Amino acid sequence: MTADGRTPPEGRYGARKAPRSRRTAIVLVTLGLVVGTAVAYVGYRNLGSAPIEAERTAFSPEPGNRMRMTFEVTRSTPERAAVCVVRVRGIDGAEGGRKEVYVPPGQASVRMTTVVASSTEPVTADVFGCSYQVPAYLSTTQPPTG
């Protein structure tokens, strides 16, 4: 009924929906909580603190388009081997060379030094990233480079 007591024409405003049952509301709230928890967990795993981090501490040019680089690796699981990808860049910012460095099991924090060859004259070096997923072709028996 309208405010003046008349009945609105059928089909003009659509049919009135029945209110949701209490059971449907509980299911929807529970489903929302489960999805929200899953999104929070995935966000924490992807954006939370990294299990392995590395920071460049020094670099210096070497003859023959090479760069000596020193970096510090900090791991949450020091008993596991790791690999870090380091790279050098030319004056234009383009990557001139890259190298995978094996980090043997050991201390939670370890300093590594390596030399990276470049296709152009390198002007800077940085750590691209580190992982516990050591490729099979990296020897686990090689001596550390640091």
Side-chain angles (χ1 to χ4, degrees):
M1 269 207 166
T2 62
D4 62 2
R6 294 184 298 168
T7 304
E10 295 249 349
R12 183 167 188 184
Y13 299 105
R16 228 180 131 195
K17 294 182 181 178
R20 288 198 175 121
S21 70
R22 181 176 174 91
R23 185 178 189 180
T24 303
I26 290 172
V27 168
L28 289 175
V29 167
T30 303
L31 184 63
L33 287 173
V34 169
V35 169
T37 301
V39 167
Y41 175 76
V42 169
Y44 173 76
R45 294 284 294 161
N46 291 335
L47 303 174
S49 62
I52 184 168
E53 295 178 344
E55 182 179 356
R56 178 194 70 203
T57 56
F59 63 93
S60 61
E62 298 254 324
N65 286 347
R66 297 164 17 127
M67 180 78 72
R68 178 172 301 277
M69 177 182 171
T70 303
F71 58 100
E72 187 89 19
V73 180
T74 306
R75 302 178 274 190
S76 61
T77 314
E79 62 275 2
R80 292 179 62 190
V83 62
C84 290
V85 176
V86 296
R87 63 185 177 177
V88 294
R89 295 175 181 247
I91 191 74
D92 62 354
E95 182 177 292
R98 141 185 314 226
K99 183 177 184 180
E100 293 173 318
V101 179
Y102 176 75
V103 182
Q107 301 173 352
S109 183
V110 62
R111 182 166 290 197
M112 304 293 293
T113 299
T114 190
V115 176
V116 183
S118 178
S119 59
T120 61
E121 183 181 355
V123 296
T124 190
D126 62 1
V127 180
F128 184 74
C130 296
S131 172
Y132 286 117
Q133 296 176 352
V134 179
Y137 57 82
L138 281 180
S139 171
T140 57
T141 59
Q142 70 184 27
T145 58

